[in-house]
Amino acid sequence: MIRILAIETSCDETAAAVVEDGRRILSNIVASQVELHAPYGGIFPEVASRAHIEAIVPVIEQAMREAHLGFDDLDALAVTYGPGLAGSLLVGVNAAKGLALGRNLPLVAINHLEAHIYAHWLEVESEGAATPPQLSGGDGGGLSFPLLALIVSGGHTELILMRDHGQYEYLGGTLDDAAGEAFDKVGRLLGLSYPGGPAIQGAAQDGNPEACRFPRAWLDDSYDFSFSGLKTAVLRVVQKYDDPPQGRLLADLAASFQAAVVDVLSAKAARAAEEFGVVAVLLCGGVSANQVLRATTAERAGVPVYCPPPILCTDNAAMVGACAYRHFVAGRQAGWDLDVVPGLRLV
Ligand code: KG4
Ligand code: ZN
């Protein structure tokens, strides 16, 4: 049995988790800074790193307590070293280095985007039932390859072809705003609270997704995305009114914007799934918590579409532990000179 304590501080969540054999979650603690950043309508990097410093030790202690383990029971430490905000990443990396050195444990360095993909290998308990068999299993279990990962988060929008564990091919990505960034910016335009994603999903519930025909950037036949034109189109409508939209108008704008984002993401994912003959599509990252994206992609893709529970879609450390297990058993360890790489890419 391999037990890894994983730490994640790349953005605005201070998170620590203990994961066994890359799939069993023994603890999963996430301290969100959402309320600290809400007044700014986005993440304030300096505020984020200070909050990480305050939260990191209690969060790690709680993760160990809830796992009912001591440091001697651990086999390794894992930490996200990029991509993300430099000041935020540094807090996690330095905490992990200090602990690993002090406790004489190996250190595994993890790419945040790869961790989002590995959320799919975590076991989840839902209403008494364990994860469907195709998703469990330390070796991919029934999840065979190739797989298509759509990573949609606050900082990234990428379509990745995964031919095997650790083997990634970049098919396309955003040329401007990330999908989550578009949700957050449009949420602000609509006068909704931060983060915009869940707020827009809520506001859109009773709206008509066809009320406004917002533009879709198809970008010919590429697998690239662009959301800045869509954001400007929403701005133009909002500017026609003196007050922030409310009631039906708000619901229709939110639903129409959400439909435009989901239309492009799901159509391109479905086309890539067919072109590359994948066995399943993995929705990864914070935006994959979106119910309409999940439902529409599942409708359009000719293969199963898997989505972790929302708590494992948004930033967490359990996914870092799942990913670290792969690297650890393959013998990959970080040196004491490990540094943060804010612009780290997956491919
Ligand atoms: O993966 P994540 O927690 O952090 C990053 O790595 O960026 O993603 C955060 C993003 C935010 O932009 C947030 O608005 C978006 O995920 N998000 C959603 C939903 N829940 C979170 N977007 C659309 N619908 C949701 N339900
Ligand atoms: Zn993330």
Side-chain angles (χ1 to χ4, degrees):
M1 227 144 33
I2 306 286
R3 287 170 177 152
I4 296 179
L5 167 64
I7 296 171
E8 154 68 47
T9 63
S10 67
C11 197
D12 61 343
E13 325 278 1
T14 316
V18 180
V19 177
E20 196 172 75
D21 292 338
R23 51 191 173 134
R24 260 183 310 283
I25 302 175
L26 302 187
S27 63
N28 187 23
I29 310 301
V30 181
S32 173
Q33 303 177 3
V34 159
E35 281 172 21
L36 284 179
H37 299 289
Y40 307 103
I43 296 162
F44 199 119
E46 178 69 7
V47 171
S49 47
R50 282 167 191 264
H52 282 307
I53 289 171
E54 283 176 16
I56 190 75
V57 170
V59 163
I60 290 172
E61 283 175 348
Q62 195 181 342
M64 293 301 290
R65 213 165 36 239
E66 290 195 10
H68 302 292
L69 295 178
F71 285 99
D72 291 344
D73 301 315
L74 296 175
D75 296 279
L77 270 160
V79 66
T80 302
Y81 74 109
L85 300 167
S88 292
L89 289 162
L90 270 169
V91 177
V93 164
N94 284 328
K97 272 191 193 174
L99 264 176
L101 195 60
R103 301 282 173 169
N104 201 20
L105 284 164
L107 181 63
V108 185
I110 295 299
N111 179 317
H112 181 80
L113 298 174
E114 188 177 30
H116 269 303
I117 293 176
Y118 273 89
H120 286 271
W121 273 267
L122 289 166
E123 281 181 1
V124 284
E125 291 279 338
S126 58
E127 289 161 24
T131 309
Q134 70 272 15
L135 287 182
S136 56
D139 283 305
L143 253 194
S144 45
F145 296 96
L147 293 163
L148 178 74
L150 173 62
I151 308 177
V152 273
S153 70
H156 295 269
T157 302
E158 296 188 3
L159 266 173
I160 302 284
L161 180 63
M162 188 177 180
R163 293 201 185 274
D164 203 341
H165 287 295
Q167 286 186 27
Y168 308 104
E169 230 170 86
Y170 180 86
L171 302 181
T174 185
L175 305 179
D176 40 58
D177 291 348
E181 194 178 354
F183 269 97
D184 294 337
K185 287 180 176 170
V186 167
R188 205 154 51 198
L189 290 179
L190 298 180
L192 296 169
S193 59
Y194 174 82
I200 287 178
Q201 179 177 304
Q205 211 110 45
D206 302 319
N208 173 7
E210 284 162 20
C212 299
R213 186 70 197 171
F214 285 130
R216 276 87 162 139
W218 294 109
L219 305 176
D220 301 322
D221 283 340
S222 80
Y223 287 118
D224 286 331
F225 302 92
S226 165
F227 296 108
S228 66
L230 171 60
K231 182 186 62 193
T232 309
V234 179
L235 175 66
R236 294 237 170 81
V237 177
V238 172
Q239 279 175 334
K240 284 193 209 152
Y241 303 86
D242 289 335
D243 299 319
Q246 288 189 344
R248 171 126 309 272
L249 176 64
L250 173 61
D252 285 349
L253 284 173
S256 301
F257 162 77
Q258 180 174 253
V261 175
V262 166
D263 193 11
V264 179
L265 289 175
S266 59
K268 294 205 179 206
R271 184 157 57 78
E274 191 185 350
E275 180 177 344
F276 295 97
V278 300
V279 296
V281 175
L282 309 179
L283 295 185
C284 319
V287 181
S288 68
N290 187 275
Q291 295 299 340
V292 180
L293 176 64
R294 289 169 174 235
T296 312
T297 312
E299 251 167 49
R300 291 181 167 179
V303 292
V305 174
Y306 298 129
C307 330
I311 179 78
L312 296 177
C313 290
T314 48
D315 287 349
N316 65 88
M319 67 185 193
V320 176
C323 186
Y325 169 77
R326 296 274 150 205
H327 291 279
F328 181 72
V329 295
R332 285 186 286 272
Q333 288 178 23
W336 298 122
D337 57 350
L338 174 67
D339 200 356
V340 301
V341 184
L344 185 66
R345 294 181 57 89
L346 180 59
V347 193

